[in-house]
Amino acid sequence: MLLLLLLPDRLRGRGRLLGLAGALLLLGGPFGYAQAAAPPSPPAPPPDSLRARLRRPGLPDTARVRAYWQLARYEKNIQLDSARRLAEKGVALARRIGDAPGEAYGQHGLAVIQYLNADYPAAQRTYVAALRAATRAGLCPLIGRAYMGQGLVADATGNVAGAVAYFEQARAVFAGCTPPDSAMELVVVTNIGNTYLQAGQLAKAERPLRLAQTLVRPSTGPDPRLNLLDLIGLLQLGQHHPDSAVRTWQQELRLARAAHQPRAEAYALGNLASARLQQNQPAAALPYVQQAIRLARTLGNRSQLTDYSLVQARILHALGHPAAFDSLMAYAVLHDTLVGQARNEAIVQQQVRFDVANQQARIRALRQQQRISRLQATEQAERAQRYALVAGGLLVVVAGGGALIGLLTRSRRRLQTSETALRQANDTQQELMRIIGHDLRGPVATFQQITPLLHGVLGPMPAADDTELVRELDASAQHLGALVDNLLHWARVQGGLVKSDPVRLRAATAVQSVVSLYEPVARHKRLTLTPDAPPDLGLTADLDLLTTVLRNLLGNAIKFTPAGGTVQVAATGGPGGVTFSVTDSGVGMSADALAVVFGSGGGAPVTSQSGTAGEPGTGLGLPLCRRFVALLGGELRAVPNAAGSGMRFWFVLPSGPGAGRLGS
């Protein structure tokens, strides 16, 4: 579903448009409550019958939940906002009546609708909720679908390594179900190829896409066929076979119309318009893009409507029509806005860090005041007791008892005041986390997604200054995203909200995902980056916590290693568990810096230092790593590299249940 006109040289920036078939297939399961070993659910009634059923008095709540979801499944191809409202009603009703499987399936269906509507922060939260609910209910296929959904969100936000890791995790879950869910292998393999394709890695994309073609069966539904045809067309165009790509998308268009899939039809029309324009046939491209815009507007798909409007502007410009000017000016204003955001990035970083530190200082002061108030109350109670014993006599006892009651009453009031202030501070910290995680992280994610589109706006032969500006803007967006992620992790750690959710995984999956993420950075800095992990080495751990630790350690190693150096990420098995290590030949750390991280005060952020190429930092990475490794069941260690320069960070994690080598 890529608008190829924007990307004449590289397949990048597909972001929010990727993996439609995977998302649609994931939505198919929830509305039937189908288990892996259960017979397939009967077809859903027509939408008019479903609406009449919902209006019927006395309908059982479980049947009403099913009707909401079936109607939402129908509406998601017509109007996403209507589908979202129906799914939310179904989830709320299932939660109210205690329908645990229904709630798990409903959360997943709602996440799919949010993903299709490009609301990625909400989709990520709902997929995590669906994963937890499915794990509690023991719904193995739904667990795999929840991992698949998180992979789609990661890919949509430009996190290629994270997306592949989630897809591989989903593939392992499907293989472990009883019986194995082989039907989902086509979806997993297609989305892995799609991820590499949108990142411009054509050589890596071709193999899974060709494998997906062999997995298509006569019983395969139209959704996976449509998505696969779309991606094969993109691959053909990237390999400089535009005529083959046009034939593939024309086949996709025919299948979409026959299957009554207007969303897939819009994607096929947009691709055909872009391909025709790339072939210098603007007159042939115009009808395609006009039909695509009409469908996108009918469906309420804002991302499609935005992208196809830009394609139409370029087509009109090629035909010599001045109507293209207004659309191009809108994108020029967007470019100026992004440049202004980049200039203010340093101010935003400092303000966020100051707010976090200020809230933490207030919480520490209130806790200290609470302890002092309790000590004062105890001391006053003891003093009143001594007065009562010394005074003696009934009258003195009565008077002393009254004084004691007054002292205790005043102490209790002060204690209640301190507790109220502490609760307010905790509420403030929760609000800050919400701001960082939603109000700030959402715009930052949008900022990261838009920068690739600027390459298409610049045209096939941009000026050197414009290219450098877009490159710097993209780097600033990625750095700001990493800063916000670390701040959110740190705030959640301080509030005790980070929990470990261990699953069975391969050590090589975590190692390769972080290495793939930092390969471009290491290559740009002329570093030798080497992964070393046996493909069959397994362990039980939380994948998100583990990849976060490895990502921070590897980022620090690259940051403090000068050009020409080496960095290695390794995982080895042994009697004590699985050892993960990151070794570099960089400038190393002083004894004082190591004491701050690993001493008695090692939980606090360290002073940020610039890297060997002037890279900025936040000072939050190593303390987060230490806390996350502890949650994983290990202890972070560090020593100077044996070669005499650089550092080696390592930690050992228990293998967990089912320890040993994993099968292929």
Side-chain angles (χ1 to χ4, degrees), residues 414-646:
R414 285 195 294 268
L415 180 59
Q416 289 175 345
T417 301
S418 299
E419 289 176 344
T420 301
L422 179 59
R423 283 194 298 270
Q424 291 175 349
N426 286 332
D427 292 341
T428 301
Q429 185 185 35
Q430 295 297 325
E431 178 65 13
L432 177 63
M433 290 173 59
R434 186 195 68 76
I435 291 172
I436 296 175
H438 181 270
D439 297 348
L440 183 58
R441 189 64 184 90
V444 170
T446 303
F447 184 26
Q448 293 173 308
Q449 296 164 25
I450 293 178
T451 52
L453 293 177
L454 297 179
H455 289 282
V457 177
L458 294 177
M461 298 182 65
D465 291 342
D466 292 343
T467 302
E468 182 64 23
L469 175 62
V470 173
R471 186 180 296 111
E472 291 180 0
L473 183 59
D474 186 52
S476 298
Q478 300 304 323
H479 175 64
L480 181 57
L483 169 67
V484 173
D485 286 339
N486 272 350
L487 287 174
L488 179 58
H489 285 316
W490 180 255
R492 294 180 64 207
V493 166
Q494 294 300 308
L497 301 179
V498 177
K499 306 295 182 184
S500 177
D501 187 14
V503 296
R504 192 67 182 155
L505 55 90
R506 300 176 187 270
T509 299
V511 171
Q512 190 57 48
S513 67
V514 297
V515 169
S516 299
L517 180 64
Y518 278 96
E519 273 181 349
V521 180
R523 187 165 51 249
H524 177 72
K525 203 171 178 181
R526 300 193 301 278
L527 301 178
T528 301
L529 178 56
T530 306
D532 184 12
D536 58 346
L537 179 60
L539 73 157
T540 300
D542 187 296
L543 180 63
D544 285 339
L545 293 180
L546 178 57
T547 53
T548 299
V549 172
L550 292 177
R551 186 170 64 247
N552 275 280
L553 293 178
L554 180 55
N556 278 349
I558 293 175
K559 175 181 174 182
F560 294 107
T561 301
T566 60
V567 179
Q568 183 190 54
V569 185
T572 58
V578 178
T579 301
F580 291 88
S581 64
V582 177
T583 307
D584 65 75
S585 62
V587 297
M589 293 181 67
S590 65
D592 292 340
L594 286 175
V596 172
V597 177
F598 296 99
S600 60
V606 299
T607 302
S608 173
Q609 297 181 0
S610 299
T612 56
E615 302 98 324
T618 64
L620 297 175
L622 288 179
L624 279 177
C625 289
R626 188 182 181 198
R627 297 291 293 273
F628 281 11
V629 170
L631 288 173
L632 289 168
E635 181 179 3
L636 182 63
R637 302 289 184 86
V639 295
N641 190 0
S645 63

Side-chain angles (χ1 to χ4, degrees), residues 160-466:
V160 176
V164 173
Y166 277 123
F167 291 148
E168 292 292 354
Q169 187 67 25
R171 194 175 185 182
V173 171
F174 291 136
C177 292
T178 305
D181 195 347
S182 57
M184 290 302 297
E185 184 177 5
L186 172 61
V187 181
V188 175
V189 172
T190 300
N191 279 284
I192 291 175
N194 186 28
T195 299
Y196 286 128
L197 185 64
Q198 62 90 21
Q201 302 177 24
L202 301 185
K204 291 184 178 180
E206 184 170 9
R207 182 176 180 182
L209 290 179
R210 298 303 181 193
L211 174 60
Q213 285 183 300
T214 66
L215 297 174
V216 175
R217 300 288 182 266
S219 59
T220 302
D223 288 333
R225 291 177 183 269
L226 288 168
N227 193 59
L228 189 55
L229 286 171
D230 182 79
L231 299 177
I232 292 297
L234 295 178
L235 180 64
Q236 290 169 337
L237 194 68
Q239 294 173 338
H240 307 292
H241 302 302
D243 293 337
S244 298
V246 168
R247 287 193 296 270
T248 300
W249 286 326
Q250 287 174 340
Q251 182 182 354
E252 177 191 4
L253 180 60
R254 290 192 296 271
L255 178 59
R257 287 172 172 170
H260 304 289
Q261 296 279 5
R263 189 176 307 279
E265 180 182 350
Y267 283 125
L269 290 166
N271 281 338
L272 284 168
S274 300
R276 289 301 190 190
L277 185 56
Q278 190 170 355
Q279 292 176 311
N280 294 322
Q281 301 177 21
L286 186 59
Y288 286 128
V289 76
Q290 289 174 338
Q291 295 178 62
I293 290 175
R294 283 196 296 270
L295 282 173
R297 184 177 293 111
T298 300
L299 294 170
N301 192 318
R302 292 183 291 272
S303 62
Q304 279 187 333
L305 187 60
T306 300
D307 292 330
Y308 298 155
S309 296
L310 179 58
V311 174
Q312 185 182 41
R314 288 181 170 271
I315 292 173
L316 293 174
H317 184 268
L319 291 172
H321 294 301
F325 179 76
D326 293 338
S327 297
L328 292 176
M329 282 299 298
Y331 278 86
V333 171
L334 176 61
H335 173 268
D336 294 339
T337 302
L338 293 177
V339 171
Q341 291 176 349
R343 291 171 180 170
N344 295 327
E345 177 189 356
I347 298 175
V348 172
Q349 293 175 2
Q350 293 299 327
Q351 184 63 45
V352 171
R353 294 187 65 184
F354 172 78
D355 291 342
V356 172
N358 187 42
Q359 293 298 332
Q360 292 174 346
R362 288 183 57 193
I363 292 171
R364 287 194 296 269
L366 289 170
R367 287 175 178 170
Q368 182 66 21
Q369 183 61 40
Q370 185 183 36
R371 288 193 293 268
I372 293 173
S373 298
R374 289 173 178 171
L375 290 174
Q376 289 176 343
T378 302
E379 181 181 356
Q380 291 171 354
E382 293 175 351
R383 184 182 305 151
Q385 186 177 12
R386 288 195 299 269
Y387 289 160
L389 293 174
V390 172
L394 181 59
L395 182 59
V396 177
V397 169
V398 172
L404 175 60
I405 291 173
L407 290 173
L408 290 176
T409 301
R410 287 191 296 272
S411 298
R412 183 163 55 185
R413 288 174 181 171
R414 285 195 294 268
L415 180 59
Q416 289 175 345
T417 301
S418 299
E419 289 176 344
T420 301
L422 179 59
R423 283 194 298 270
Q424 291 175 349
N426 286 332
D427 292 341
T428 301
Q429 185 185 35
Q430 295 297 325
E431 178 65 13
L432 177 63
M433 290 173 59
R434 186 195 68 76
I435 291 172
I436 296 175
H438 181 270
D439 297 348
L440 183 58
R441 189 64 184 90
V444 170
T446 303
F447 184 26
Q448 293 173 308
Q449 296 164 25
I450 293 178
T451 52
L453 293 177
L454 297 179
H455 289 282
V457 177
L458 294 177
M461 298 182 65
D465 291 342
D466 292 343

Side-chain angles (χ1 to χ4, degrees), residues 92-103:
L93 179 57
R95 185 182 294 116
R96 187 168 63 251
I97 66 176
D99 185 357
E103 182 181 353

Side-chain angles (χ1 to χ4, degrees), residues 60-115:
D61 286 335
T62 53
R64 191 175 299 276
V65 169
R66 182 185 178 92
Y68 272 127
W69 290 340
Q70 288 175 326
L71 189 56
R73 182 182 182 182
Y74 171 80
E75 285 289 326
K76 58 96 173 130
N77 285 323
I78 307 298
Q79 219 328 306
L80 288 175
D81 289 339
S82 173
R84 175 184 54 78
R85 289 191 293 269
L86 290 167
E88 288 173 345
K89 290 181 180 179
V91 169
L93 179 57
R95 185 182 294 116
R96 187 168 63 251
I97 66 176
D99 185 357
E103 182 181 353
Y105 283 116
Q107 291 278 17
H108 184 271
L110 178 60
V112 171
I113 294 171
Q114 291 167 336
Y115 168 83

